[in-house]
Amino acid sequence: MAKSNSNGKALVIVESPAKARTISKFLGAGYTVEASIGHVRDLPEGAKQIPAKYKGEKWANLGVNVDSNFEPIYITPPDKTKQVAKLKSLLKESNALYLATDEDREGEAISWHLHELLKPKVPVHRMVFHEITKEAINEALASPRKIDEDLVRAQETRRIVDRLYGYEVSPLLWKKVAPKLSAGRVQSVAVRLIVERERERMAFVSATYWDIVGTFAKQQEDKSFNAALVSVDGRKLPSGKDFDAATGKIRDEKLLLLDEAGAQELIERARQASFKVTKVEEKPYTSKPYPPFTTSTLQQEANRKLGFSGKRTMSAAQSLYENGHITYMRTDSTTLSNVAIEAARNLVRSEYGNNYLPDSPRLYTSKVKNAQEAHEAIRPAGHPFELPATLKGKLTDDQFKIFELIWKRTIASQMTDARGRRVSITIEADGIVFQVGGRTIDFPGYLRAYVEGSDDPQAELADKETVLPDLAVDELLKLVGLEPKSHTTQPPPRFTEASLTRTLEEMGIGRPSTYASIIETIVARRYVFKKGNALVPTWVAFSVSQLLKWHLPELIDYQFTAQMEDDLDAISRGEANSVDYLRDFYFGTEGSGLKALLDSKVEEIDARETARINIGEREENGQKRHIHVRVGRYGPFVEETDEQGESLRRASVAEETAPDEMTLACALDLLSQAEQAEEPLGIDPETKKPVFLKIGRFGPYIQLGTPDDDEKPKNASLLKNMTPEDVDFQTALKLLTLPRTLGDDPKTGKDVKAFNGRYGPYVKSGDETRSLPGDLSPLDVTLEQASELLAQPKKSRGGFGASREPVKEFDASPVTKQKVQLFEGRYGPYVTDGETNASLPKGAEADKLTMAEALNLLAERAAKGPSKKKKKSTPKKKAAKKTAPKKKGAKKKGAKKAAKKKSSSPQEADDAPF
């Protein structure tokens, strides 16, 4: 280990306190280890952070001097000033400075900024390592290097590109679509991918086709097996891929398209036939293990196997790295070091035996050419590797699951191939041909340790085997049964976090280390919402994508964005000049730069046109009527216009409506309902005001009166499970009576009322409330029934006292293996998997919650970590301070102004570090 001088200690700076604690264990008394807590300098966020000397410059709001070689304005964020002061103080007492941040662009940039900010007068060393173990730290101390200026310039260029993109394009979206939106170099392309997939689903025309499943058995045996009908009289049956997605029609007329009647006829024919085996084919196969994890494949697999979001996965991985359990978790490499390969092979030998160990190490290569990716794949740290069982009690549940995933994948990557046989059997009679395929695993190889997409390799091995009876050609079979099967072609699946991550990586768009933050951003900005595990675009996403595609296509062109990554990588390798690249990106030549593209767009873009998503058209009295969804100030709505574009009818669209559900029939139905809502159900006998059944953005409701009256109309929500068809005039009047006063409780003398609450109906008297059971309605509940309910003990809310019954139960969670349950809590409904509780979103209907939605809520809540409890503190008495009297309303006005500035700040989250 390198020794520090006797005068003072050497200061070692890393990014996080957790990393600092781990490294300090391996260093002696001659070192002080401190964290920078992320970046210590960055571009200013908003006008308030811009230094006074730049405020008059026309480019000041960008934080980048576009007129002078794109020089960035760097400031220390307000929340970092105290830590920077601490670092400066520690440096004064130190005899050397070791910058030990991560060895990638972000880490290199943090080291450079620390050097620029601290201005050290002692020797400075750049200390790099890929795992936090004693051996790795000693090696890093023994062979430090200088700061890599090319990596720094690459990170700085990327940061400036993202700032220029975000701060120049976002204001255009505010003016033409909606406030508080953001644009990003990778973010906007990711949204485009999701929107384009939804358009494919909207344009998809399904087709229905039939086939037959035959059940057969050997003549002297009862054990049966199934085979699928593949052809009749030489004509093959179609599969889903044989139908045109745009028309639903079969592509090849030679194929035999069966309907239900045709399938039944064929069954009658088959029952008269005598079936025998006409062909038996057996072919050996081998399956190779998967390479060790990269950042991208780890996120994909954790999403598929554990249901983790990218953010949740990377949060757990970051903690594992910082505490010395795994190697660096931001990498595109699948390479393992010789030491790691030997450690993995030793474990294969000891855990599984020599039969599972190949004669020579398996080597994996990737197409990585970036200097920042000179790391290994993600693997357990050190050697020998820690066994998952030894860490079970030391890690959180998430950390353990991710560590076990990495451990298994690493070990499996050094195991032998899986070997087996595939068998195909053809069964035929009277021109009717059935086929069945089977698979037998002769040797599981790496599958003993790791099966992609499964938690239980042993159970998955059973699923992968389909064992068929021994059959010979010309052998007669018993026909046990024939069952017609209907199939409907399905639209292309929506993106999940895993599939979006894979697609972005395959297209070369963005860096895998940023995908989790990008997905988090597009969800937070309401470009996307989750339906189970699927990413569903909102109508706002459609509008933004249309605007960018029609008016700024270069900025969301897939090839352009991928090329941008290559250009930035060239800077990281010292092969390109950053200033030249920025000048070309921003100014371009002949109007091709970002600034030139944006200059005329404010006047050119028709906001109404870009906010309109076409659904279809109909004809009325020889006139065409166009139906589309528009993104309005108060949410999306469906609109019918004439050929001149004049609006004829409008209806609100519920915010949770997935775009592919908005068919022409659905849109016309909403318009009809809205039209009917203009006609009152009747006139309220008491107020003489009309009573309407309205459909709003949050669903149907009852309205008393109109906005033209002197006061705001009274509204009443429908009861749970009540549809507009259930509501007549009398029911509407009853709903408007809620909350109903039932009378005085005979036991307490307090009045009793019945309510239709946000989470269901209930009764209340004084401070006591009780939910109404399913067989009682707030419209009909009597005083006697309510008093009886109020007299009953209140059910336990926090787990103390009497146990509670769940409102709804689901299957076991793939994470905790405990049942997922829905409870009614003190602050509304929530779901739990035995370890994590997650509240339902505002306005969510608990009775419609699905298992997938529950798992998603639990995953997001778990990713946030445990709730932080507020520390109790004794308030200090402050001496009275005389201040000049403020003008009335001054504070309020100032607060509003500050809030407005904050909310209007564009975001560029494409390269935000974890």
Side-chain angles (χ1 to χ4, degrees):
M1 183 180 289
K3 299 279 185 182
S4 62
N5 294 332
S6 57
N7 299 327
K9 296 182 178 183
L11 176 61
V12 180
I13 303 179
V14 296
E15 300 96 318
S16 74
K19 191 174 175 182
R21 285 193 297 271
T22 308
I23 289 176
S24 64
K25 295 175 187 176
F26 307 124
L27 298 175
Y31 297 88
T32 300
V33 187
E34 187 54 63
S36 68
I37 313 180
H39 281 276
V40 291
R41 293 202 308 177
D42 199 1
L43 301 176
E45 295 285 346
K48 191 175 181 181
Q49 292 185 3
I50 296 172
K53 64 179 180 179
Y54 298 120
K55 287 197 173 181
E57 302 291 344
K58 60 182 180 181
W59 46 262
N61 68 305
L62 298 173
V64 178
N65 187 348
V66 295
D67 294 333
S68 179
N69 291 331
F70 295 86
E71 292 174 6
I73 300 173
Y74 285 124
I75 56 103
T76 299
D79 60 337
K80 295 294 176 68
T81 52
K82 188 181 288 187
Q83 190 65 14
V84 168
K86 182 180 180 180
L87 293 173
K88 286 181 176 178
S89 176
L90 289 170
L91 186 59
K92 287 178 182 177
E93 303 166 3
S94 303
N95 58 21
L97 174 63
Y98 286 86
L99 299 171
T101 54
D102 296 336
E103 192 189 13
D104 59 9
R105 292 171 188 160
E106 289 295 325
E108 205 72 20
I110 291 172
S111 283
W112 180 78
H113 282 294
L114 283 165
H115 187 276
E116 294 293 300
L117 194 61
L118 299 178
K119 295 181 170 47
K121 297 178 181 176
V122 295
V124 179
H125 310 284
R126 177 75 172 102
M127 175 179 164
V128 294
F129 41 86
H130 303 143
E131 59 183 348
I132 306 177
T133 59
K134 187 171 184 178
E135 186 179 24
I137 298 304
N138 285 343
E139 188 178 333
L141 279 171
S143 54
R145 63 166 172 79
K146 293 181 179 180
I147 292 172
D148 188 325
E149 292 288 335
D150 290 331
L151 281 183
V152 174
R153 292 290 79 78
Q155 187 277 340
E156 184 176 71
T157 306
R158 184 184 296 273
R159 185 74 181 95
I160 292 171
V161 165
D162 288 338
R163 168 55 64 93
L164 296 176
Y165 193 123
Y167 272 47
E168 292 283 28
V169 182
S170 295
L172 182 67
L173 301 184
W174 302 342
K175 293 172 184 173
K176 298 299 179 179
V177 183
K180 300 184 182 179
L181 295 177
S182 67
R185 177 177 54 87
V186 179
Q187 168 194 317
S188 297
V189 176
V191 171
R192 179 190 172 185
L193 278 168
I194 295 168
V195 168
E196 294 295 339
R197 178 62 57 85
E198 195 72 9
R199 285 192 183 279
E200 290 177 36
R201 291 174 63 86
M202 293 168 75
F204 181 80
V205 178
S206 64
T208 300
Y209 60 100
W210 289 73
D211 61 17
I212 299 170
V213 174
T215 304
F216 301 91
K218 290 173 75 78
Q219 288 289 352
Q220 305 304 320
E221 293 181 7
D222 292 330
K223 189 176 181 181
S224 61
F225 61 93
N226 293 332
L229 179 68
V230 293
S231 70
V232 179
D233 298 329
R235 294 180 68 188
K236 289 184 178 180
L237 269 68
S239 62
K241 64 179 177 14
D242 293 312
F243 294 88
D244 191 303
T247 64
K249 293 181 179 179
I250 196 164
R251 290 193 176 98
D252 185 355
E253 295 295 335
K254 293 178 183 177
L255 296 174
L256 177 61
L257 179 58
L258 290 176
D259 57 13
E260 185 175 11
Q264 290 292 354
E265 285 179 19
L266 196 56
I267 285 174
E268 293 304 316
R269 173 180 160 184
R271 282 180 178 144
Q272 311 304 316
S274 179
F275 286 90
K276 68 176 182 179
V277 177
T278 58
K279 187 187 289 186
V280 177
E281 286 185 316
E282 183 174 293
K283 292 181 180 178
Y285 77 90
T286 58
S287 172
K288 295 183 182 296
Y290 309 100
F293 280 131
T294 63
T295 303
S296 171
T297 54
L298 175 61
Q299 290 180 40
Q300 292 173 48
E301 187 69 346
N303 183 255
R304 282 193 299 263
K305 185 176 280 193
L306 304 175
F308 284 16
S309 67
K311 180 182 178 183
R312 185 177 176 184
T313 298
M314 293 309 291
S315 175
Q318 180 100 28
S319 297
L320 289 169
Y321 167 67
E322 289 175 346
N323 287 285
H325 299 304
I326 65 171
T327 54
Y328 192 52
M329 67 289 155
R330 295 188 197 113
T331 176
D332 287 348
S333 175
T334 54
T335 303
L336 291 176
S337 66
N338 292 333
V339 170
I341 289 173
E342 191 58 35
R345 285 174 62 82
N346 287 339
L347 277 169
V348 173
R349 189 180 292 110
S350 62
E351 296 290 313
Y352 301 101
N354 286 324
N355 287 344
Y356 289 86
L357 187 69
D359 293 336
S360 58
R362 286 188 179 275
L363 302 178
Y364 298 91
T365 57
S366 53
K367 297 177 181 178
V368 177
K369 58 184 178 181
N370 308 321
Q372 68 154 340
E373 312 303 353
H375 312 245
E376 287 186 72
I378 304 171
R379 62 165 175 85
H383 61 87
F385 295 160
E386 296 173 292
L387 295 173
T390 64
L391 295 176
K392 182 75 174 175
K394 302 176 184 177
L395 304 177
T396 66
D397 191 57
D398 277 12
Q399 289 168 3
F400 179 77
K401 284 181 172 65
I402 294 298
F403 179 80
E404 188 177 44
L405 203 63
I406 293 167
W407 191 93
K408 287 180 177 179
R409 179 87 163 217
T410 306
I411 303 306
S413 75
Q414 290 302 314
M415 293 175 74
T416 53
D417 295 347
R419 300 190 304 274
R421 289 164 290 130
R422 289 191 177 93
V423 180
S424 175
I425 297 172
T426 304
I427 302 160
E428 190 171 350
D430 189 23
I432 304 171
V433 182
F434 288 86
Q435 275 187 350
V436 59
R439 181 161 57 172
T440 301
I441 296 175
D442 295 324
F443 182 70
Y446 75 93
L447 294 174
R448 274 286 306 278
Y450 187 88
V451 180
E452 192 170 53
S454 172
D455 280 315
D456 186 351
Q458 293 300 329
E460 186 69 15
L461 280 176
D463 290 342
K464 283 182 173 290
E465 279 200 300
T466 308
V467 181
L468 296 174
D470 289 329
L471 297 170
V473 173
D474 292 332
E475 182 175 350
L476 291 174
L477 298 176
K478 284 191 299 187
L479 177 59
V480 178
L482 294 165
E483 183 183 359
K485 288 281 187 181
S486 172
H487 304 275
T488 302
T489 56
Q490 298 298 314
R494 290 190 177 100
F495 284 107
T496 62
E497 285 201 27
S499 60
L500 181 63
T501 295
R502 184 176 64 250
T503 301
L504 287 169
E505 184 179 36
E506 286 172 352
M507 297 175 76
I509 294 168
R511 299 244 49 89
S513 59
T514 67
Y515 293 156
S517 62
I518 288 164
I519 293 170
E520 183 187 9
T521 298
I522 63 178
V523 171
R525 295 276 168 173
R526 294 297 297 163
Y527 284 127
V528 168
F529 65 92
K530 289 187 176 180
K531 197 171 184 179
N533 205 26
L535 300 172
V536 186
T538 61
W539 295 107
V540 168
F542 268 73
S543 181
V544 168
S545 284
Q546 283 189 167
L547 184 150
L548 295 174
K549 188 175 180 180
W550 293 348
H551 299 281
L552 297 164
E554 299 89 343
L555 298 184
I556 55 169
D557 178 77
Y558 300 138
Q559 214 167 1
F560 170 80
T561 311
Q563 181 58 46
M564 191 181 293
E565 288 299 330
D566 289 342
D567 294 338
L568 291 168
D569 290 341
I571 294 170
S572 75
R573 299 189 299 270
E575 298 167 5
N577 181 275
S578 60
V579 175
D580 290 344
Y581 175 77
L582 288 169
R583 188 177 292 113
D584 187 57
F585 169 75
Y586 191 67
F587 293 112
T589 54
E590 299 179 1
S592 62
L594 177 67
K595 185 167 179 56
L597 289 172
L598 289 169
D599 277 347
S600 61
K601 295 304 175 184
V602 174
E603 299 300 325
E604 181 184 314
I605 295 173
D606 183 346
R608 286 174 59 87
E609 193 63 30
T610 56
R612 185 179 290 166
I613 299 98
N614 184 51
I615 302 299
E617 56 185 40
R618 71 183 187 92
E619 202 167 289
E620 184 177 287
N621 300 325
Q623 299 290 317
K624 279 189 179 179
R625 299 285 185 261
H626 302 279
I627 315 297
H628 44 254
V629 169
R630 274 186 55 192
V631 178
R633 184 177 178 186
Y634 301 107
F637 59 91
V638 63
E639 181 181 49
E640 182 176 38
T641 60
D642 60 21
E643 292 192 71
Q644 286 70 47
E646 293 298 320
S647 181
L648 302 173
R649 295 187 292 172
R650 289 185 178 185
S652 294
V653 174
E655 290 196 339
E656 70 277 7
T657 303
D660 77 333
E661 295 171 8
M662 185 56 67
T663 61
L664 182 59
C666 175
L668 291 173
D669 187 46
L670 283 175
L671 290 167
S672 296
Q673 288 180 28
E675 211 167 28
Q676 290 169 15
E678 298 304 315
E679 293 296 324
L681 297 173
I683 303 298
D684 178 31
E686 288 188 22
T687 64
K688 308 303 180 188
K689 292 180 179 180
V691 177
F692 300 94
L693 172 60
K694 296 276 189 181
I695 308 291
R697 60 193 286 208
F698 301 114
Y701 63 96
I702 305 300
Q703 178 179 298
L704 176 63
T706 65
D708 296 332
D709 297 334
D710 293 337
E711 55 189 43
K712 186 179 178 182
K714 181 180 179 180
N715 294 338
S717 299
L718 272 60
L719 301 182
K720 279 190 174 182
N721 302 321
M722 187 180 276
T723 65
E725 291 74 24
D726 299 327
V727 180
D728 56 18
F729 180 51
Q730 294 305 318
T731 305
L733 289 177
K734 283 185 177 182
L735 288 168
L736 288 165
T737 64
L738 296 177
R740 285 173 61 219
T741 299
L742 307 182
D744 294 337
D745 189 326
K747 295 181 181 178
T748 65
K750 296 178 180 178
D751 67 331
V752 180
K753 290 184 178 181
F755 294 81
N756 180 24
R758 185 165 147 206
Y759 300 111
Y762 66 97
V763 289
K764 181 177 181 181
S765 180
D767 294 330
E768 292 293 319
T769 59
R770 299 290 186 276
S771 296
L772 287 175
D775 58 345
L776 284 181
S777 165
L779 303 179
D780 307 313
V781 64
T782 64
L783 176 62
E784 183 182 1
Q785 291 168 326
S787 298
E788 188 179 332
L789 276 172
L790 290 162
Q792 294 175 8
K794 187 172 283 190
K795 291 181 181 179
S796 171
R797 284 171 177 161
F800 302 101
S803 61
R804 297 165 298 142
E805 289 296 318
V807 176
K808 197 172 184 179
E809 281 192 333
F810 300 98
D811 293 335
S813 162
V815 179
T816 66
K817 308 304 180 189
Q818 298 182 50
K819 275 189 176 180
V820 175
Q821 297 177 312
L822 171 68
F823 287 95
E824 185 66 45
R826 182 177 181 184
Y827 302 106
Y830 66 93
V831 287
T832 180
D833 60 5
E835 294 181 8
T836 301
N837 294 347
S839 298
L840 267 63
K842 191 175 180 181
E845 296 185 52
D847 58 326
K848 294 183 180 177
L849 185 75
T850 65
M851 172 73 168
E853 290 168 339
L855 289 176
N856 190 50
L857 289 170
L858 290 164
E860 289 181 352
R861 181 64 190 87
K864 295 177 181 176
S867 301
K868 293 180 181 178
K869 294 183 179 179
K870 290 183 179 179
K871 293 181 180 179
K872 291 183 179 179
S873 58
T874 307
K876 294 180 181 179
K877 290 184 179 180
K878 292 184 178 180
K881 188 177 179 181
K882 291 184 180 181
T883 56
K886 291 185 178 180
K887 291 181 182 179
K888 193 176 180 181
K891 185 177 180 181
K892 189 175 181 181
K893 185 177 179 182
K896 279 186 177 180
K897 189 174 181 181
K900 186 175 181 183
K901 279 186 180 180
K902 191 172 182 181
S903 69
S904 298
S905 176
Q907 301 292 315
E908 353 71 57
D910 284 351
D911 271 309
F914 294 102

